[in-house]
Amino acid sequence: MMISRGLFGWSPPHIQPLTPVSEVSEPPESPSPYLDPNAEPNRAGAAADVGEAGMEEEEEEEEPEDAEPPPAAVPFSGLFACADGLDWALMAVGSVAAAAHGAALVVYLHYFGKVVNLLGLHRFNDEVFHEFKKHALYIIYIASGVFVAGWIEVSCWILTGERQTAVIRSKYVRVLLNQDMSFFDTYGNNGDIVSQVLSDVLLIQSALSEKVGNYIHNMATFFGGLIIGLINCWQIALLTLATGPLIVAAGGISNIFLHRLAENIQDAYAEAASIAEQAICYIRTMYAFTNETLAKYSYATSLQATLRYGILISLVQGLGLGFTYGLAICSCALQLWVGRFLVSRGKANGGEIITAVFAVILSGLGLNQAATNFYSFEQGRIAAYRLYEMISRSTSIVNQDGNTLASVQGNIEFRNVYFSYLSRPEIPILSGFFLTVPAKKTVALVGRNGSGKSSIIPLMERFYDPTLGEVLLDGENIKSLKIEWLRSQIGLVTQEPALLSLSIRENIAYGRSATFDQIEEAAKTAHAHTFISSLDKGYETQVGRAGLALTGEQKIKLAIARAVLSNPSILLLDEVTGGLDFVAERAVQRALDVLMLGRSTIIIARRLSLIRNADYIAVMEEGHLVEMGTHDELIIQDALYAELLRCEEAAKLPKRTPIMDYKEATSFQIEKDSSAGQNFQEPSSPKMAKSPSLQRMPAVHAIRGSDADFNLHDSPNIQSPPSEQMLENGIPLDASDRIPPIIRQDSFESRLPELPKLDVNSLRQQTSNSSDPESPISPLLTSDPNNERSHSKTFSRPHNQYDDKPIKQRGTEDALCQKPPSFWRLAELSFAEWFYALLGSMGAAIFGSFNPLLAYVLALTVTAYYRSESHERRHDVNKWCLVIACMGIITVFANFLQHFYFGIMGEKMTERVRRMMFSAMLRNEVGWFDEEENSADNLSMRLANDATFVRAAFSNRLSIFIQDSAAVVVAVLIGMLLGWRVALVALATLPVLTVSAVAQKMWLAGFSRGIQEMHRKASLVLEDAVRNIYTVVAFCAGNKVMELYRLQLGKIFKRSVVHGVAIGFAFGLSQFLLFACNALLLWYTALSVKHYRVDLLTALKEYLVFSFATFALVEPFGLAPYILKRRKSLTSVFEIIDRVPKIDPDDNAGLKPPNVYGTIELKNIDFCYPTRPEVMVLSNFSLKVSGGQTIAVVGVSGSGKSTIIGLLERFYDPVAGQALLDNRDLKSYNLRWLRNHMGLVQQEPVIFSTTIRENIIYARHNASDAEIKEAARIANAHHFISSLPHGYDTHIGMRGVDLTPGQKQRIAIARVILKNAPILLLDEASSAIESESSRVVQEALDTLIMGNKTTILIAHRASMMKHVDNIVVLNGGRIVEQGTHDSLLAMNGLYVRLMQPHFGKGFRQHRLI
């Protein structure tokens, strides 16, 4: 009976205490790109800075715990704010049933007291036997009542909890979808919005469904105990009331501390969760830079911050429960001692006293158990406050009652508009902006990156309102118009269209009610009907995250069909064809041409060549309109537009410096298109020749004759910054005065995979000592001959030097653990904490054995009451009361040992499992992450929750198991010593009790299986909507999302009704069997006495002992609902940990040759993606790239260009054929060594949520400041970084929201420059960036490939084609053309069709975009 089921086992999974790192090496001195040193608390109370926590642990420990104000919470009644009449009825019935269930045990005690009082008869006859049987029957009646009450209680509360939380979820989603965009700018990128509704609603549901019922149940026990106590012996009951406050205080104080710690634990894990989510989201980048070890370390370090909270929770639990039980037992001893005086004076008998004492014990424990629910109530109230705060948010921008215009002409005017984003109010976007778009005309907006052109679309859609000024539609301020009507008049097509996880038909309709014929007609207009019809399920094909992956062209066509269906008066196009190849672009353009007829159109253009035929071109600069006119008029003006156009033309045909060995370089030259718009070059030197490292020699460089008239250093238009190495206050420095760059050697660096390091000093020394003039190429761009690739005698090294090395072959068979893990497997995870387990087990065993021992001592005390001799009675009662008091004191220590040490063990186990899961995740090949169930969201959720289930299944279960085993063993020993027959019958009832628990277990397992999965599916709809919020809002599809979400919640509710009733039945049955077995034991005890097998005194002692022991045995099944519902999670933990990756980065076997020559060959490759095995991407594909050669790969969308990079980085392995490096299969090399020798620039650059400096040194953690700045200069990034308020220490958001695509691209290039790998893989790097940024990025890329590196460039623009060594044209996974730019032009084949728009000016005279 005295078993804690509350705090210890029942904390909700996502607030389980976390644990310290016990097996992690020292932290790196350089900051980790995963840890955010400048994190500010977010709305929900974000995690404290983990990076600083590690360094300032001692300081923080001295700070008082209550330095922060307690978190805001709703009043308790606020939890039921969403209850309707049916819910109140369910709660009322559930409350009555819970009260009846709680009181049943106390009523049983009342009859138990009457049985004990039969001792006073001192004789046994048939009449007494009849009394025994009568009381056994009463217990059966109580058992039946408990069965019904338990069933009703659990069913009603589960049902009403699911109903109320469904309403909360719906309200939250509705409000979320009505927020203005500034809300999503502030909170939308950290994943908090979706995870909050999931985790907070779970907290509320836990408080609503099981905890309120549990609280009423326990309070009924408390009050019932007091009433029965008063009825039986009011003196003892009043004595209880005097000692009761002490027991209550012990439980209450511990719960106050637990509440304080709960918030800290949630916040502490938030930082670790963010690290894990970033690592999984950006898995390709992490693998490419071989930073798995860093990610694992960062995650483990952030878990460390939770150590003291975990230990404190265990400490508080141990002391709180220990003092509660200890005081209860001591109080019991006091009452029994006082009872002696009452018996002596004839005011009470032994039965009444023992009933009163038992009622008191139950009453106190009931109150303590009730108190444990306050923890969940607090969590629920805090979570409800966060959710209701969001639900009560008003959205200032939404005007549902505005006007509508009878007809829309389409005259748009921006009048003196000032605007800045709420999330960055200090940065003005538009300043006094004027623009008029005449009806049914097309206006293209152009301008440099950051000029403010992209803000026009959100202002027009009223995602935001201007700070000052107004936006007019047909002379009416759009603020006065009904917002849904306004958006229904606007068609939006963006470069990255948003698709929900629905069918194609529903994605085109997107919230509008349209017939199938209308949808089909819209698809035909958008030229999408053909490809849709070719799919197996046609318009019913599922797309989005949970369905078929579409190409960029197909997505845009669906977006156009969506716009056609809405039949808008105004069209907003955001660089729709920016990321498409020419063939796809032409198909999309045909659809757009139809769509734009007779509509007012605003085009945001980043490539100027696409908008020459617009009716008007508006040129923006720093939030102002600076020019407006037709293409020809603006060319004649020769101002900003003409300059931008020249920049774009110049970027198309860059020259390339021939490859030279830097030792042999005697001169260098810069070729420059004279029309490149020198005024718009970044003053921080985009050309590599302007980098300080290239200006170290004050010698005049020889210029090639043809360019002799253009001397870079003499050019008045280009202001090179003074060289950091040469000038200090205008005075040249001697070589001896130069400050060498400091290279930080991290302790952590030694544990990272071997990275190519660069000693700048030695390189400078080498070049300055050489008799040759210095190379124009920065050392960061050349490969160190000693480290990377040398054209010396190492070329003749025989192959077999490495070929003889054994290569460990790993089987790729799936070793998935399909069954829930065994108890032994769980035990292995905690072997390291065997000493804690030993101490905890001692405590659990002592406390468990006290159950029957206390019962036996009580029985001895009660029998002493019936002694006829007064002095014997006094002596015996005094003796046994003293023993009970001592047991109370020992209980405090036993509880402390049990909960504190099992708590520490559980914390460490949780942390270890989390680290093992995270490490195992980061071993898997990229194809594993492509699967739907392994999305970043799902894996983050499993990391957060599933590890805590392992703890519940082992640490908590072991604690209860030892405690109850000790109780049963001691009870059996006592029973055998007193009378073996009764003991055997008691043991015979144990299997029945076990069967009842197993039945309950089976019901639970069967009915809860699908509910968790269904909630995940429901959350997918919500996540899709939040990620694509702009499209959802623009097309007024919020109602559609709500409808979908409600549909999912409806399905979940139906399942949970059956689930609740089934759990209630199983729960009631197990409680019934518990009482029924007790009635059987009582009947058999009476029978034994009747047949003189045992005397009455001994029989009642046995009955007392076994009553306690059977209660103890059934108690652990209170944990069953929690453990059993999570068996699937347990299985998934070990599925992740045990999975054998198909491409294992941790396999240390494989070659690590000292030199890389860079010859790459793909030989007869067949390849398909694991998630789409039916689509062959490459078929019998062969390609060879010689060392130092630069090759461009072009082709139509979906031809397999980007797949080549995935194969070379070994993200995937080919189905057939071989990928070779230096004539050896890539599989023969050590995987991390291989990736260290490749530099990857992706189309969508990955920026981590940390500082710019840490983003750059992600490539090499021991890089000096000088090297970082050098890399940034070469990447044309130094100027824009330096212009930021905090320079290189500027924090950039989760998805780089503060930077433009061009700036992110340059940071990614700087990262690769710093890596200094001999092989470069560039994937469509500048295809989707504005002209001005594209030029700057292009120059950085030109410089990057000037080093003697093997380069593979995936591109579908002409920007780098003319001077690459070779161009390969792909179509359908095969090479269809190959050669130089000129030879392919002469062929006049697919290459010419792909590239024609970039070379022929007259080609698009009749096209607008």
Side-chain angles (χ1 to χ4, degrees):
M1 292 266 307
M2 302 186 297
I3 311 294
S4 159
R5 187 172 65 185
L7 293 171
F8 189 52
W10 279 83
S11 330
H14 43 280
I15 51 169
Q16 282 280 2
L18 304 175
T19 57
V21 171
S22 57
E23 300 161 26
V24 183
S25 42
E26 275 75 41
E29 290 168 14
S30 68
S32 153
Y34 287 93
L35 292 177
D36 172 5
N38 299 315
E40 294 179 6
N42 64 14
R43 184 169 58 94
D49 170 19
V50 177
E52 291 174 4
M55 294 179 282
E56 300 173 7
E57 206 164 31
E58 295 80 17
E59 294 174 33
E60 287 192 359
E61 279 174 3
E62 290 166 15
E63 292 178 10
E65 283 292 324
D66 54 356
E68 291 182 14
V74 299
F76 183 73
S77 58
L79 284 175
F80 308 100
C82 295
D84 61 12
L86 179 57
D87 286 317
W88 285 110
L90 284 169
M91 288 191 288
V93 173
S95 299
V96 170
H101 185 191
L105 191 57
V106 189
V107 174
Y108 157 75
L109 276 182
H110 180 67
Y111 289 104
F112 177 77
K114 294 193 171 182
V115 172
V116 169
N117 208 37
L118 296 175
L119 275 171
L121 300 174
H122 296 294
R123 58 191 170 75
F124 196 90
N125 55 28
D126 287 344
E127 188 183 337
V128 175
F129 180 64
H130 178 69
E131 284 289 315
F132 268 101
K133 280 204 300 184
K134 185 173 75 175
H135 286 96
L137 199 59
Y138 288 154
I139 294 172
I140 291 290
Y141 296 153
I142 293 169
S144 304
V146 166
F147 171 61
V148 175
W151 190 354
I152 293 173
E153 173 195 354
V154 173
S155 303
C156 287
W157 283 108
I158 284 183
L159 209 58
T160 187
E162 196 68 56
R163 276 176 56 85
Q164 291 179 59
T165 50
V167 175
I168 294 171
R169 284 184 168 103
S170 298
K171 284 186 175 179
Y172 182 93
V173 175
R174 189 188 302 113
V175 171
L176 185 64
L177 296 176
N178 285 330
Q179 292 301 311
D180 52 49
M181 291 303 119
S182 59
F183 173 83
F184 292 99
D185 289 343
T186 311
Y187 302 116
N189 281 329
N190 58 8
D192 192 39
I193 296 178
V194 177
S195 65
Q196 186 171 323
V197 71
L198 294 174
S199 61
D200 284 359
V201 166
L202 284 174
L203 285 173
I204 294 172
Q205 191 167 355
S206 170
L208 273 181
S209 56
E210 66 189 81
K211 300 302 179 189
V212 176
N214 193 273
Y215 177 75
I216 293 169
H217 171 114
N218 285 307
M219 288 307 289
T221 306
F222 169 64
F223 287 113
L226 285 182
I227 291 165
I228 293 294
L230 286 167
I231 289 171
N232 278 276
C233 183
W234 63 266
Q235 295 94 335
I236 295 290
L238 290 179
L239 182 60
T240 305
L241 290 176
T243 57
L246 291 173
I247 302 169
V248 174
I253 291 168
S254 67
N255 279 290
I256 291 168
F257 280 108
L258 286 167
H259 160 62
R260 297 261 176 99
L261 293 169
E263 275 294 306
N264 297 332
I265 277 175
Q266 274 181 300
D267 293 347
Y269 185 67
E271 183 72 22
S274 167
I275 290 167
E277 191 177 356
Q278 281 193 75
I280 297 164
C281 275
Y282 306 145
I283 193 72
R284 284 172 173 80
T285 302
M286 195 186 67
Y287 280 173
F289 287 91
T290 61
N291 270 331
E292 301 98 305
T293 313
L294 178 65
K296 291 173 195 173
Y297 176 81
S298 302
Y299 184 67
T301 305
S302 63
L303 289 179
Q304 234 172 351
T306 63
L307 168 60
R308 65 178 173 277
Y309 300 132
I311 289 179
L312 281 172
I313 276 207
S314 302
L315 182 68
V316 171
Q317 280 177 343
L319 291 176
L321 290 166
F323 276 107
T324 304
Y325 291 132
L327 288 170
I329 293 170
C330 289
S331 162
C332 167
L334 177 65
Q335 289 151 39
L336 290 173
W337 183 73
V338 171
R340 172 172 69 82
F341 296 102
L342 296 174
V343 171
S344 299
R345 291 171 189 175
K347 293 187 177 178
N349 60 41
E352 289 167 346
I353 289 171
I354 198 69
T355 300
V357 169
F358 270 12
V360 166
I361 291 174
L362 269 183
S363 177
L365 292 178
L367 188 63
N368 183 58
Q369 290 291 343
T372 62
N373 292 299
F374 287 126
Y375 175 63
S376 293
F377 293 153
E378 283 299 308
Q379 288 302 307
R381 287 173 53 218
I382 292 163
Y385 181 85
R386 288 196 289 254
L387 284 177
Y388 294 163
E389 184 188 36
M390 174 70 192
I391 288 170
S392 64
R393 272 179 72 100
S394 59
T395 54
S396 56
I397 196 165
V398 177
N399 180 6
Q400 303 293 359
D401 309 319
N403 310 322
T404 60
L405 303 179
S407 65
V408 178
Q409 301 299 313
N411 293 297
I412 301 168
E413 184 181 351
F414 286 77
R415 189 181 288 171
N416 194 29
V417 170
Y418 288 80
F419 174 66
S420 59
Y421 291 104
L422 281 179
S423 57
R424 303 191 295 283
E426 71 285 355
I427 303 173
I429 306 296
L430 297 178
S431 305
F433 177 73
F434 289 87
L435 175 69
T436 303
V437 180
K440 298 179 174 52
K441 297 290 184 185
T442 297
V443 174
L445 293 174
V446 301
R448 275 205 198 87
N449 190 18
S451 60
K453 59 186 182 295
S454 296
S455 62
I456 300 304
I457 285 180
L459 286 172
M460 192 66 223
E461 286 272 11
R462 275 199 80 203
F463 295 159
Y464 309 96
D465 280 339
T467 314
L468 287 172
E470 51 188 3
V471 182
L472 307 176
L473 173 61
D474 291 346
E476 184 86 21
N477 189 330
I478 63 171
K479 280 189 183 180
S480 66
L481 298 175
K482 189 172 181 180
I483 195 160
E484 284 203 5
W485 176 87
L486 170 70
R487 287 171 180 163
S488 71
Q489 301 301 311
I490 298 172
L492 173 66
V493 184
T494 59
Q495 185 177 336
E496 292 185 1
L499 298 180
L500 290 179
S501 296
L502 301 167
S503 67
I504 289 176
R505 177 178 59 77
E506 290 168 309
N507 265 292
I508 294 175
Y510 216 69
R512 287 184 169 79
S513 51
T515 65
F516 182 75
D517 291 338
Q518 290 173 321
I519 289 169
E520 194 174 283
E521 193 55 43
K524 286 175 179 171
T525 309
H527 295 274
H529 180 69
T530 310
F531 95 79
I532 297 172
S533 303
S534 68
L535 298 169
D536 290 342
K537 295 182 182 175
Y539 284 84
E540 297 306 318
T541 304
Q542 290 290 316
V543 292
R545 285 199 297 163
L548 183 74
L550 300 179
T551 65
E553 173 192 352
Q554 291 167 338
K555 285 182 187 174
I556 290 171
K557 283 181 178 176
L558 289 187
I560 294 169
R562 192 187 284 162
V564 169
L565 188 67
S566 66
N567 191 26
S569 308
I570 299 160
L571 203 56
L572 306 177
L573 305 177
D574 187 1
E575 186 55 52
V576 175
T577 58
L580 300 178
D581 58 65
F582 176 54
V583 176
E585 195 175 282
R586 200 160 44 179
V588 168
Q589 188 61 48
R590 282 200 302 271
L592 285 173
D593 289 342
V594 176
L595 183 58
M596 288 159 63
L597 286 173
R599 291 185 168 95
S600 306
T601 306
I602 296 177
I603 301 170
I604 308 296
R606 291 171 178 81
R607 288 185 295 124
L608 309 186
S609 57
L610 303 183
I611 46 100
R612 297 179 180 196
N613 244 39
D615 297 313
Y616 300 99
I617 296 171
V619 186
M620 294 179 66
E621 176 77 349
E622 294 183 353
H624 302 281
L625 181 67
V626 292
E627 297 173 44
M628 188 160 175
T630 64
H631 171 75
D632 295 332
E633 289 168 358
L634 294 176
I635 289 293
I636 293 167
Q637 285 183 28
D638 194 27
L640 179 56
Y641 177 75
E643 291 291 355
L644 288 171
L645 196 63
R646 284 198 289 274
C647 285
E648 184 173 289
E649 294 296 329
K652 283 179 183 173
L653 295 174
K655 307 296 188 288
R656 184 160 176 261
T657 305
I659 297 172
M660 296 179 291
D661 190 275
Y662 74 96
K663 284 189 177 179
E664 298 167 2
T666 53
S667 66
F668 79 103
Q669 56 287 325
I670 298 292
E671 292 186 6
K672 189 174 190 317
D673 191 315
S674 58
S675 67
Q678 295 146 6
N679 293 337
F680 297 104
Q681 293 192 24
E682 285 201 349
S684 71
S685 71
K687 292 283 183 191
M688 56 102 196
K690 298 176 222 165
S691 169
S693 68
L694 309 180
Q695 297 178 357
R696 284 192 284 274
M697 299 290 290
V700 178
H701 298 290
I703 305 296
R704 200 166 49 181
S706 60
D707 295 321
D709 57 328
F710 180 76
N711 186 320
L712 179 68
H713 294 282
D714 299 333
S715 169
N717 292 333
I718 300 174
Q719 298 298 321
S720 291
S723 166
E724 290 174 351
Q725 281 81 6
M726 286 183 59
L727 298 178
E728 187 172 326
N729 301 325
I731 302 165
L733 291 174
D734 292 325
S736 58
D737 293 330
R738 293 178 195 161
I739 300 168
I742 298 164
I743 297 179
R744 290 177 302 185
Q745 292 294 345
D746 306 41
S747 59
F748 184 57
E749 180 68 22
S750 60
R751 286 180 294 283
L752 282 171
E754 183 84 16
L755 292 170
K757 299 182 178 62
L758 182 71
D759 188 340
V760 181
N761 288 326
S762 66
L763 270 171
R764 287 179 181 166
Q765 232 172 5
Q766 204 172 354
T767 51
S768 58
N769 294 343
S770 167
S771 58
D772 298 325
E774 181 168 333
S775 160
I777 313 263
S778 163
L780 286 170
L781 295 178
T782 58
S783 302
D784 183 348
N786 297 324
N787 276 350
E788 307 286 3
R789 181 173 70 239
S790 167
H791 300 284
S792 65
K793 61 186 179 182
T794 53
F795 263 117
S796 59
R797 189 184 301 280
H799 261 318
N800 57 14
Q801 178 171 339
Y802 300 112
D803 292 348
D804 295 336
K805 286 190 181 180
I807 296 162
K808 186 170 75 174
Q809 297 295 330
R810 296 193 69 134
T812 56
E813 295 174 6
D814 229 1
L816 292 183
C817 175
Q818 295 300 340
K819 295 178 183 174
S822 67
F823 191 78
W824 184 250
R825 177 77 197 273
L826 294 172
E828 285 177 342
L829 287 174
S830 55
F831 277 168
E833 283 78 49
W834 66 268
F835 186 65
Y836 295 134
L838 187 67
L839 291 172
S841 299
M842 281 169 56
I846 292 168
F847 185 50
S849 64
F850 274 16
N851 269 297
L853 281 175
L854 183 63
Y856 183 60
V857 176
L858 284 171
L860 292 171
T861 313
V862 172
T863 53
Y865 285 149
Y866 291 97
R867 284 186 178 275
S868 51
E869 298 296 327
S870 174
H871 68 276
E872 285 181 8
R873 185 192 307 138
R874 184 174 69 245
H875 175 266
D876 283 1
V877 170
N878 287 352
K879 179 176 70 177
W880 297 125
C881 286
L882 190 61
V883 170
I884 292 171
C886 292
M887 289 171 79
I889 294 166
I890 296 170
T891 293
V892 177
F893 294 102
N895 263 283
F896 170 75
L897 283 175
Q898 177 182 357
H899 292 288
F900 182 60
Y901 288 109
F902 270 122
I904 292 176
M905 181 178 132
E907 305 296 345
K908 290 191 174 249
M909 191 172 187
T910 304
E911 184 268 346
R912 185 176 295 113
V913 169
R914 279 201 174 113
R915 279 195 295 114
M916 286 170 71
M917 283 178 74
F918 189 58
S919 297
M921 285 174 188
L922 300 193
R923 284 177 55 212
N924 289 313
E925 70 281 359
V926 172
W928 185 76
F929 294 94
D930 294 342
E931 295 170 19
E932 183 199 345
E933 64 267 25
N934 299 325
S935 68
D937 296 326
N938 281 348
L939 292 178
S940 300
M941 196 185 294
R942 284 161 78 175
L943 266 179
N945 296 344
D946 291 3
T948 59
F949 305 147
V950 176
R951 170 212 173 114
F954 178 72
S955 173
N956 299 4
R957 197 161 66 174
L958 181 65
S959 170
I960 300 289
F961 175 76
I962 290 171
Q963 180 177 310
D964 291 326
S965 297
V968 173
V969 168
V970 173
V972 170
L973 283 173
I974 293 172
M976 289 295 186
L977 291 171
L978 290 174
W980 61 270
R981 287 185 179 86
V982 177
L984 283 180
V985 171
L987 284 176
T989 63
L990 297 188
V992 179
L993 295 172
T994 310
V995 165
S996 82
V998 169
Q1000 186 179 2
K1001 179 177 178 177
M1002 287 168 68
W1003 281 100
L1004 290 170
F1007 282 91
S1008 66
R1009 196 168 291 152
I1011 288 183
Q1012 196 179 358
E1013 191 56 39
M1014 291 171 82
H1015 271 301
R1016 279 187 187 177
K1017 290 278 185 204
S1019 75
L1020 276 181
V1021 176
L1022 184 56
E1023 284 168 23
D1024 278 343
V1026 170
R1027 285 180 175 165
N1028 306 323
I1029 192 69
Y1030 285 89
T1031 312
V1032 170
V1033 171
F1035 285 90
C1036 308
N1039 290 336
K1040 177 68 176 174
V1041 173
M1042 275 305 304
E1043 182 190 321
L1044 283 166
Y1045 195 59
R1046 283 201 181 118
L1047 193 70
Q1048 294 283 355
L1049 291 178
K1051 287 180 187 171
I1052 292 170
F1053 178 69
K1054 283 178 186 170
R1055 178 76 68 90
S1056 67
V1057 170
V1058 182
H1059 176 224
V1061 171
I1063 283 186
F1065 178 82
F1067 182 66
L1069 184 66
S1070 78
Q1071 297 292 305
F1072 169 81
L1073 288 171
L1074 177 66
F1075 282 96
C1077 288
N1078 191 269
L1080 173 70
L1081 186 63
L1082 179 60
W1083 173 80
Y1084 184 76
T1085 305
L1087 202 64
S1088 298
V1089 177
K1090 184 183 179 184
H1091 293 295
Y1092 305 106
R1093 292 176 187 140
V1094 68
D1095 64 87
L1096 184 59
L1097 210 59
T1098 309
L1100 280 174
K1101 284 179 193 170
E1102 280 200 89
Y1103 173 60
L1104 209 58
V1105 168
F1106 279 112
S1107 295
F1108 266 76
T1110 49
F1111 276 120
L1113 183 77
V1114 163
E1115 196 70 30
F1117 295 107
L1119 280 176
Y1122 181 76
I1123 293 166
L1124 297 172
K1125 280 196 287 188
R1126 307 306 182 190
R1127 284 184 73 185
K1128 189 172 181 184
S1129 302
L1130 272 184
T1131 309
S1132 80
V1133 166
F1134 289 99
E1135 276 180 0
I1136 291 174
I1137 290 173
D1138 295 339
R1139 185 179 185 273
V1140 177
K1142 293 173 183 171
I1143 303 171
D1144 189 357
D1146 290 340
D1147 188 347
N1148 290 320
L1151 309 180
K1152 298 182 184 178
N1155 301 295
V1156 177
Y1157 311 115
T1159 303
I1160 292 171
E1161 185 176 2
L1162 299 176
K1163 198 182 280 186
N1164 306 325
I1165 296 280
D1166 286 349
F1167 178 74
C1168 57
Y1169 286 98
T1171 49
R1172 302 197 302 279
E1174 69 285 352
V1175 181
M1176 193 60 76
V1177 181
L1178 297 178
S1179 179
N1180 198 25
F1181 179 83
S1182 295
L1183 173 67
K1184 184 158 186 177
V1185 186
S1186 303
Q1189 199 179 28
T1190 296
I1191 184 170
V1193 181
V1194 297
V1196 297
S1197 286
S1199 59
K1201 304 187 296 291
S1202 299
T1203 303
I1204 294 170
I1205 283 181
L1207 291 172
L1208 291 176
E1209 283 274 7
R1210 281 200 74 202
F1211 295 155
Y1212 306 93
D1213 278 343
V1215 177
Q1218 280 184 304
L1220 307 174
L1221 171 63
D1222 294 344
N1223 298 320
R1224 291 195 193 88
D1225 195 316
L1226 291 184
K1227 295 178 185 176
S1228 67
Y1229 291 100
N1230 178 279
L1231 186 56
R1232 288 207 173 97
W1233 177 92
L1234 178 72
R1235 288 174 177 164
N1236 272 327
H1237 287 73
M1238 293 185 181
L1240 174 63
V1241 178
Q1242 292 167 282
Q1243 180 179 8
E1244 290 293 326
V1246 166
I1247 300 299
F1248 291 99
S1249 182
T1250 179
T1251 62
I1252 292 176
R1253 177 190 312 279
E1254 288 159 11
N1255 265 290
I1256 295 175
I1257 65 165
Y1258 192 70
R1260 187 150 59 83
H1261 304 285
N1262 65 339
S1264 65
D1265 275 359
E1267 288 175 298
I1268 294 167
K1269 288 177 181 172
E1270 175 76 1
R1273 279 196 190 88
I1274 296 166
N1276 283 341
H1278 179 70
H1279 175 64
F1280 93 76
I1281 295 172
S1282 303
S1283 68
L1284 294 168
H1286 300 292
Y1288 284 84
D1289 294 316
T1290 302
H1291 183 268
I1292 43 190
M1294 175 85 174
R1295 289 177 174 82
V1297 288
D1298 297 326
L1299 299 182
T1300 66
Q1303 291 168 334
K1304 288 195 273 187
Q1305 196 73 60
R1306 281 177 271 166
I1307 287 177
I1309 292 169
R1311 194 189 282 159
V1312 169
I1313 290 168
L1314 191 64
K1315 187 174 184 181
N1316 190 25
I1319 298 166
L1320 288 178
L1321 307 172
L1322 311 179
D1323 187 0
E1324 301 178 340
S1326 57
S1327 63
I1329 300 173
E1330 301 87 339
S1331 296
E1332 174 67 11
S1333 285
S1334 185
R1335 179 189 60 77
V1336 178
V1337 169
Q1338 197 59 60
E1339 289 180 356
L1341 288 173
D1342 294 346
T1343 312
L1344 181 57
I1345 63 175
M1346 281 180 180
N1348 53 336
K1349 297 174 186 291
T1350 305
T1351 306
I1352 294 180
L1353 170 72
I1354 310 292
H1356 45 226
R1357 304 283 162 212
S1359 48
M1360 299 178 80
M1361 297 302 168
K1362 201 160 184 180
H1363 294 282
V1364 297
D1365 299 317
N1366 194 20
I1367 298 167
V1368 172
V1369 185
L1370 296 191
N1371 193 12
R1374 297 171 184 271
I1375 296 177
V1376 291
E1377 295 172 19
Q1378 191 167 352
T1380 63
H1381 175 73
D1382 295 330
S1383 67
L1384 290 173
L1385 283 182
M1387 280 187 202
N1388 197 23
L1390 178 61
Y1391 178 74
V1392 174
R1393 293 209 304 282
L1394 287 167
M1395 292 298 125
Q1396 199 164 5
H1398 306 290
F1399 299 112
K1401 293 192 178 180
F1403 187 73
R1404 297 199 193 185
Q1405 286 307 305
H1406 303 294
R1407 300 176 57 189
L1408 290 173
I1409 186 167

